[in-house]
Amino acid sequence: MDFKPNKPIYQQIIDYCFNKILAQEWVEDAKVPSVRELALELSVNSHTVLKAYEYLQAEEIIYAKRGLGFFLAADAKTIVTTARREEFYETTLSDLFHEMERLQISIDDVIEHYKNRE
């Protein structure tokens, strides 16, 4: 995984996990990679993965089974979708609107391009 310097690595790992959930590569009530497995896969320190998993656990996206590891919560996809939508509206869309204003692009222009996309 190529990490970007402008965002903490543990947050990029959270994004990676979100992508796995949204792509349905991680399914509800199934075991997710262990901290050590994911650390090896991503070539990062296991403490960094643990920090990401602690966040996911606090948000009730994953849960721990003593002695067995972490599992994906039944409503994880809904939680992740909601979080990603909020981020989209607050960050991505806001930046897009500013750029549209700067370039004098109207909503109608965007709608037309959206309809004509391949």
Side-chain angles (χ1 to χ4, degrees), residues 45-112:
N45 188 297
S46 59
H47 292 290
T48 308
V49 173
L50 182 58
K51 187 172 182 179
Y53 273 23
E54 286 171 346
Y55 170 85
L56 295 173
Q57 194 172 12
E59 295 298 315
E60 299 180 345
I61 295 167
I62 62 173
Y63 60 94
K65 285 187 181 179
R66 179 173 241 159
L68 296 176
F70 290 101
F71 292 77
L72 193 66
D75 57 349
K77 187 172 181 186
T78 301
I79 295 168
V80 169
T81 300
T82 300
R84 280 281 175 91
R85 284 182 179 185
E86 288 173 10
E87 180 183 358
F88 174 80
Y89 289 128
E90 292 173 9
T91 306
T92 307
L93 201 54
S94 177
D95 292 345
L96 176 65
F97 287 155
H98 289 303
E99 188 69 10
M100 286 172 61
E101 287 174 5
R102 201 168 37 232
L103 298 174
Q104 299 178 340
I105 297 172
S106 72
I107 284 288
D108 293 334
D109 293 335
V110 172
I111 291 170
E112 187 63 32

